[in-house]
Structure formats: structure tokens, C-alpha cells
Amino acid sequence: MNWCHYRFLSLWDLPGTPAEAYAVLERVEDYPLWWPQVREVTSVDGHSGVFRFRSLLPYDLVVTALERRRDPEAGVLEITMAGDLEGWARWTVTGGAGGTRVRYDQEVEVRRPLMRRLAVPGRPVFLLNHAHMMRAGRRGLAAHLAAV
């Protein structure tokens, strides 16, 4: 088993329409407005940018994201990542019970040296850190959509 490899899946049931949720998710430069753990997004061009994240643990992760797919009709936004995390992430936005269902898939390998050294003993803590970040993202996006 590669202890530095992670696969994540999050499902968020949200208010509003899929089109409203998709519109918010495609404006990545606004993520820090509603997602507390996304500390900074710096656009490089119209299709790539640098993200800085921090959840419960006292360190930032920095990744450069490159748009791989933007398909409003299918409700899909997908990126590749390089930097402290290398891999990909995908949002899939569909209709759900009384609103919108957002699915977040991510597959990454940790590249940050300290996290690699702590891969085995730190894995449960890294998973909890990620889960906290995703719960906060769901709450933030739900509140943002409810206010729209």
C-alpha cells in the first residue's frame, strides 16, 4: 500500500438549483469567500491557478491547478494538481432531493516532504483534517447558495 496516496469522495446535498451551484463552483477565485480552509486562490490565466489550503493542522498546502474539463451541461468541473498534492479533483453537480447534489472526487499523492515522512502514523490525522475541511466547505457553500 502506498501510504501517501489518497482517494476521497464527498457528497453534498445543497439548496438551490444545479446551475446555481455549478456557477459558484466554477468561480474558484471566490472560494475563500465561502470556504474558510481555502485561504487563497491566485489566478495564473483563465485555466490555471495556485491554491493555498489550511484546515486544522498547522501547515498550508499549496497546489497549482490546471483546468482539465469544464462542462456546464454535464455539471462537471475537473482539474489536475501539482505541488504539495499531485493528482486530480472533480466536481459533479446534479439535481438532488429538493435541491442539488454535489459530488467531489479526488485522487492525490502527497508530495510535501513532512507529510511523506509522517505518512503511516499521520494518516488518520490527515484523513480527519480532510474530512473537517470538506464539512466546512459543504456548510459554507450551502450558506452561500441560501443567501443567493
Side-chain angles (χ1 to χ4, degrees):
M1 175 175 188
N2 179 352
W3 293 96
C4 294
H5 184 261
Y6 291 86
R7 266 192 200 146
F8 298 107
L9 167 64
S10 296
L11 298 172
W12 298 355
D13 290 314
L14 300 166
T17 67
E20 291 167 336
Y22 186 92
V24 173
L25 290 170
E26 76 176 339
R27 289 192 307 272
V28 295
E29 65 277 1
D30 291 343
Y31 281 26
L33 300 176
W34 55 266
W35 198 340
Q37 291 76 19
V38 179
R39 302 300 174 99
E40 183 179 13
V41 177
T42 305
S43 179
V44 173
D45 57 32
H47 301 285
S48 63
V50 178
F51 289 72
R52 185 171 58 87
F53 310 97
R54 177 184 279 203
S55 191
L56 294 173
L57 297 175
Y59 59 82
D60 291 350
L61 293 176
V62 178
V63 299
T64 299
L66 176 63
E67 182 180 292
R68 187 158 79 179
R69 182 175 176 198
R70 182 185 298 237
D71 186 345
E73 288 186 26
V76 175
L77 294 163
E78 189 171 334
I79 61 168
T80 58
M81 293 180 280
D84 290 336
L85 303 174
E86 187 172 299
W88 60 270
R90 178 187 317 114
W91 294 109
T92 306
V93 181
T94 59
T100 297
R101 161 104 1 142
V102 173
R103 177 182 172 128
Y104 180 78
D105 292 281
Q106 183 181 39
E107 188 168 343
V108 293
E109 178 137 349
V110 174
R111 294 293 181 205
R112 186 178 178 101
L114 178 60
M115 289 180 71
R116 290 182 71 80
R117 283 193 296 279
L118 297 173
V120 174
R123 189 173 182 89
V125 177
F126 299 153
L127 291 170
L128 286 171
N129 194 57
H130 179 81
H132 171 75
M133 179 175 173
M134 296 309 291
R135 279 192 306 273
R138 186 201 56 76
R139 282 191 307 269
L141 183 53
H144 186 79
L145 288 168
V148 173

